[in-house]
Amino acid sequence: SAVISQKPSRDICQRGTSLTIQCQVDSQVTMMFWYRQQPGQSLTLIATANQGSEATYESGFVIDKFPISRPNLTFSTLTVSNMSPEDSSIYLCSVMRASTDTQYFGPGTRLTVL
Amino acid sequence: AQSVAQPEDQVNVAEGNPLTVKCTYSVSGNPYLFWYVQYPNRGLQFLLKYITGDNLVKGSYGFEAEFNKSQTSFHLKKPSALVSDSALYFCAVRDPNTGFQKLVFGTGTRLLVSP
């Protein structure tokens, strides 16, 4: 497995503002992902963070709303832009090494938008 | 497209009794199947996976799951439940034939183990 940290762990934000969430891994990983878990619901993949290139977004998610960076093999950020109350969710990053086929998840960032 | 169904929103079991959390899946080819557990205010923890090989896979904390291809199921089991097993359990599937790494999750099953 890997040790994964996320910052912040939680935040309360005003609508119309943006929040950047950081994901740090203790060792190099092949792939990094960002998921959203809306209140009382399951996890949905937002995008795959690609090192050195643009992220790959799932249907229903766009770069203008959720810009993602991955400058190296151990770090990624997700920004939630122009937030509305509907963006209130837990945002989780996950990582995977190609040799294991297993995704490991960070502790999540609980976001509340007022 | 792949999908996962967890038919039970909640499972109640008494401590010491066996537990089963159900999961069925749909993929075009041979699936990669996973179980994760989420404790309150925590991220997801990996429990076990089936990729290939023996249909019965063993994982963390005494959990196991059986892959049944004919019934397209991957039920999570434990012979003797503990109160500390109370949590939210997610089944997930990945279709390796698509070339994508994404996991598709079920809606989750809340397990409540009573003393």
Side-chain angles (χ1 to χ4, degrees):
Chain A
S1 64
V3 177
I4 307 164
S5 61
Q6 284 186 234
K7 291 181 181 179
S9 59
R10 59 178 61 223
D11 207 342
I12 300 173
C13 301
Q14 298 297 318
R15 69 166 67 215
T17 62
S18 298
L19 177 72
T20 295
I21 302 168
Q22 299 179 1
C23 179
Q24 179 76 54
V25 191
D26 67 337
S27 58
Q28 294 185 353
V29 292
T30 309
M31 306 194 73
M32 297 181 78
F33 307 88
W34 287 98
Y35 287 82
R36 181 176 73 181
Q37 185 179 19
Q38 294 178 299
Q41 298 192 28
S42 187
L43 283 81
T44 302
L45 180 65
I46 297 172
T48 302
N50 300 309
Q51 193 256 331
S53 64
E54 191 171 289
T56 304
Y57 290 85
E58 296 296 307
S59 176
F61 297 96
V62 295
I63 188 171
D64 290 346
K65 176 66 175 177
F66 297 101
I68 288 171
S69 77
R70 188 180 173 191
N72 57 51
L73 293 176
T74 63
F75 185 78
S76 177
T77 66
L78 167 74
T79 298
V80 186
S81 303
N82 188 25
M83 289 183 285
S84 67
E86 292 71 34
D87 294 319
S88 297
S89 297
I90 299 173
Y91 292 86
L92 300 103
C93 72
S94 74
V95 305
M96 187 176 80
R97 296 187 180 91
S99 59
T100 68
D101 286 317
T102 302
Q103 290 187 31
Y104 295 94
F105 286 79
T109 296
R110 183 179 294 270
L111 170 63
T112 302
V113 184
L114 303 177
Chain B
Q2 62 263 45
S3 65
V4 174
Q6 293 183 243
E8 302 155 316
D9 290 336
Q10 181 162 314
V11 170
N12 298 305
V13 64
E15 187 174 33
N17 284 356
L19 68 88
T20 299
V21 183
K22 297 180 180 178
C23 171
T24 59
Y25 66 89
S26 175
V27 297
S28 58
N30 294 319
Y32 289 7
L33 293 158
F34 304 82
W35 276 101
Y36 290 86
V37 59
Q38 186 176 38
Y39 297 99
N41 300 314
R42 302 274 295 275
L44 265 68
Q45 295 182 27
F46 168 72
L47 278 179
L48 51 79
K49 67 181 176 184
Y50 172 82
I51 303 297
T52 187
D54 289 341
N55 290 341
L56 184 65
V57 293
K58 296 184 183 296
S60 306
Y61 312 120
F63 283 93
E64 59 187 30
E66 185 167 13
F67 171 63
N68 188 316
K69 188 172 184 177
S70 63
Q71 297 185 6
T72 61
S73 67
F74 189 56
H75 300 332
L76 181 70
K77 300 181 179 183
K78 187 174 182 180
S80 179
L82 300 173
V83 173
S84 57
D85 292 330
S86 298
L88 187 57
Y89 290 81
F90 288 97
C91 181
V93 66
R94 180 185 144 207
D95 186 352
N97 296 317
T98 65
F100 299 112
Q101 311 291 340
K102 69 180 285 185
L103 288 176
V104 174
F105 284 84
T107 50
T109 298
R110 188 166 300 281
L111 174 66
L112 184 59
V113 182
S114 55

